[in-house]
Amino acid sequence: MMGGVYPGFLEKGDKVCIISPSGKVSSDFLSGMEKRLRTWELEVSLGTYADAAYRRFAGTDKQRLADLQQALDNPDIKAIFCSRGGYGCIHLLDKINWSAFSCQPKWLIGYSDITVFHSAITNQGIVSVHAPMARHFTETGEDDSSLLFLKNLLFGKQVSYTLPAHPLNRTGKTKGRMTGGNLSVLSGLRGTETDIIPQGAILFIEDIGEQPYHIERMLYNFKLGGILQHLSGLIIGQFSGCKEDPQMPKPLYETISALISAYTYPVCFNFPVGHVTENYPLLCGAACCLEITSHGTSLSFPVNLATVG
C-alpha cells in the first residue's frame, strides 16, 4: 500500500501559521482559532493579510498568494492552518512555487475550497489534512471530537474511526491512498494537472448547497471520465443544504448508490466529513485501511506505514 510522505509531526512549541487563502473571514474566528491552537502549546502567527477583505475574498489575489507563499517557504513554520473556504484558491493555484515545500513538507489543514491545495499536494506525493477551520475552532468546546482527532493526527498519534452500518453500504476490506474533498471543487479540477489520480485510491466526497441533479451530473463526469472505475474504495460524506428534489427518481444517497452499482469495491455512506460539526479529519494522500461489514465501518491511517519527511 503506497501513500505519500508525511510532514514531520508537531511537537509542543512548534511554530504554526493561520492564513486566509480563500473567502474573507471574521476576525473573531481568527482570534478564536489562534486561541485554541495556543492551548495545544503551539506558537501561532497570523498571515499579514489573514483578516483582509476584498469583495468576497480575504484580500486580493496578490495578498492571499503572498501569505500562502511565505508560509510555504518559511522553514520555521511546521503547519499552515487555513481559516476558511468559500472561493478563491483556484486563483492562486498556477502561481504557487512549491519548491521549498516539496523539499521540506509541512502540514496544510483545511477543507471545502482548500480541496484545491489538497489535490495539488496529494499529486506531489505529500500528505495534507482535510479538517475543520476557524469557525469550528471558535464555536466548539474542548471536548469536540473532530478537533481532538485533528490534534492527535498532527502530533503523531494513530487515529481510527468506527462508524455504524448504513443500509446502502457495500461491504469489503481494502487499502489505498486517500484522496478527495469537496465534490464541486474536484469537478472544477477535472482535466488539469491537479486532477484526481484514481488508480488504487480511496476517494471521499462531500458538498454543500448543491442540487441533487448537480451532484449526480458531477459524478457522471467521474464515471464517464474513468475516475470511479479505478478506485479501490469510496466514502460518501455529508451533503449539507442539498435539499432532496422530489422530481428526481430517488433520494440523493440512493441516486449515488445506483450510479456506482457496477463497481465492486467497498463503499461507505454517511461518513462524518463535510460542512457539518462532526467533520472528522482525513489524511489526503496517506495510505489507509477501510473495512466495511454488516455491523459498521472502520477507517484507519496506520502511522507505522508513514514515511515522515
Side-chain angles (χ1 to χ4, degrees), residues 214-251:
H214 290 171
I215 294 168
E216 184 187 42
R217 181 165 57 195
M218 288 185 281
L219 287 175
Y220 259 107
N221 176 282
F222 282 27
K223 180 177 183 177
L224 298 174
I227 295 292
L228 296 180
Q229 73 183 75
H230 294 297
L231 301 176
S232 62
L234 180 61
I235 294 173
I236 310 298
Q238 305 301 305
F239 290 87
S240 308
C242 300
K243 186 178 179 181
E244 293 289 357
D245 182 352
Q247 298 301 308
M248 291 289 283
K250 299 176 181 179

Side-chain angles (χ1 to χ4, degrees), residues 29 58 67 106-107 164 239 261 265 276:
F29 293 154
D67 272 359
K106 60 189 68 179
W107 296 104
F239 290 87
S261 61
Y265 46 70
V276 288

Side-chain angles (χ1 to χ4, degrees), residues 6 40 81 107-112 118 127-133 136-137 144-155 157-163 178-181 204 206 235 271-288 299-301:
Y6 279 56
W40 294 5
F81 289 84
W107 296 104
L108 185 136
I109 302 102
Y111 76 106
S112 191
H118 291 314
V127 174
S128 59
V129 193
H130 183 280
M133 297 182 288
H136 192 121
F137 271 79
D144 179 75
S145 58
S146 298
L147 292 186
L148 291 173
F149 284 136
L150 176 58
K151 181 181 179 181
N152 284 339
L153 281 171
L154 292 175
F155 280 82
K157 296 181 180 179
Q158 186 165 324
V159 168
S160 61
Y161 304 129
T162 302
L163 308 169
M178 179 67 70
T179 192
F204 72 95
E206 62 84 25
I235 294 173
F271 193 92
V273 62
H275 292 71
V276 288
T277 301
E278 199 172 32
N279 181 17
Y280 287 2
L282 295 175
L283 290 172
C284 298
C288 63
L299 175 68
S300 61
F301 299 91

Side-chain angles (χ1 to χ4, degrees), residues 10-309:
L10 297 184
E11 298 178 355
K12 293 178 181 179
D14 276 349
K15 294 180 179 180
V16 302
C17 183
I18 301 171
I19 63 168
S20 303
S22 188
K24 59 186 175 184
V25 61
S26 163
S27 59
D28 289 341
F29 293 154
L30 287 171
S31 60
M33 188 180 209
E34 181 179 7
K35 181 179 178 181
R36 189 70 164 269
L37 288 173
R38 290 190 187 281
T39 69
W40 294 5
E41 299 184 58
L42 296 170
E43 184 177 330
V44 188
S45 63
L46 292 177
T48 302
Y49 304 104
D51 62 348
Y54 173 72
R55 299 188 182 273
R56 70 181 301 140
F57 309 107
T60 64
D61 290 359
K62 185 177 180 180
Q63 290 171 331
R64 289 180 286 118
L65 178 64
D67 272 359
L68 173 59
Q69 193 66 63
Q70 184 177 39
L72 291 172
D73 293 347
N74 187 340
D76 296 328
I77 298 295
K78 304 303 181 185
I80 303 168
F81 289 84
C82 299
S83 67
R84 68 157 291 186
Y87 176 68
C89 291
I90 196 69
H91 295 171
L92 313 182
L93 185 58
D94 63 347
K95 303 175 181 68
I96 301 169
N97 183 337
W98 295 102
S99 57
F101 173 83
S102 298
C103 293
Q104 186 179 338
K106 60 189 68 179
W107 296 104
L108 185 136
I109 302 102
Y111 76 106
S112 191
D113 197 48
I114 311 303
T115 296
V116 169
F117 301 146
H118 291 314
S119 293
I121 292 170
T122 296
N123 286 0
Q124 294 179 54
I126 297 169
V127 174
S128 59
V129 193
H130 183 280
M133 297 182 288
R135 182 170 185 170
H136 192 121
F137 271 79
T138 303
E139 295 184 342
T140 59
E142 294 298 323
D143 60 347
D144 179 75
S145 58
S146 298
L147 292 186
L148 291 173
F149 284 136
L150 176 58
K151 181 181 179 181
N152 284 339
L153 281 171
L154 292 175
F155 280 82
K157 296 181 180 179
Q158 186 165 324
V159 168
S160 61
Y161 304 129
T162 302
L163 308 169
H166 188 278
L168 293 176
N169 282 357
R170 183 185 299 145
T171 60
K173 186 175 182 179
T174 189
K175 297 178 180 179
R177 182 191 66 257
M178 179 67 70
T179 192
N182 182 266
L183 179 59
S184 297
V185 175
L186 292 171
S187 294
L189 296 173
R190 293 282 289 120
T192 72
E193 293 181 354
T194 315
D195 201 352
I196 295 167
I197 301 174
Q199 194 69 44
I202 296 175
L203 174 67
F204 72 95
I205 56 172
E206 62 84 25
D207 219 320
I208 184 170
E210 291 287 350
Q211 294 290 333
Y213 76 89
H214 290 171
I215 294 168
E216 184 187 42
R217 181 165 57 195
M218 288 185 281
L219 287 175
Y220 259 107
N221 176 282
F222 282 27
K223 180 177 183 177
L224 298 174
I227 295 292
L228 296 180
Q229 73 183 75
H230 294 297
L231 301 176
S232 62
L234 180 61
I235 294 173
I236 310 298
Q238 305 301 305
F239 290 87
S240 308
C242 300
K243 186 178 179 181
E244 293 289 357
D245 182 352
Q247 298 301 308
M248 291 289 283
K250 299 176 181 179
L252 178 57
Y253 270 8
E254 291 183 25
T255 297
I256 296 173
S257 181
L259 191 149
I260 60 174
S261 61
Y263 311 117
T264 59
Y265 46 70
V267 181
C268 171
F269 281 84
N270 202 36
F271 193 92
V273 62
H275 292 71
V276 288
T277 301
E278 199 172 32
N279 181 17
Y280 287 2
L282 295 175
L283 290 172
C284 298
C288 63
C289 304
L290 175 67
E291 183 172 10
I292 304 173
T293 72
S294 58
H295 302 292
T297 296
S298 65
L299 175 68
S300 61
F301 299 91
V303 172
N304 61 350
L305 291 177
T307 302
V308 179

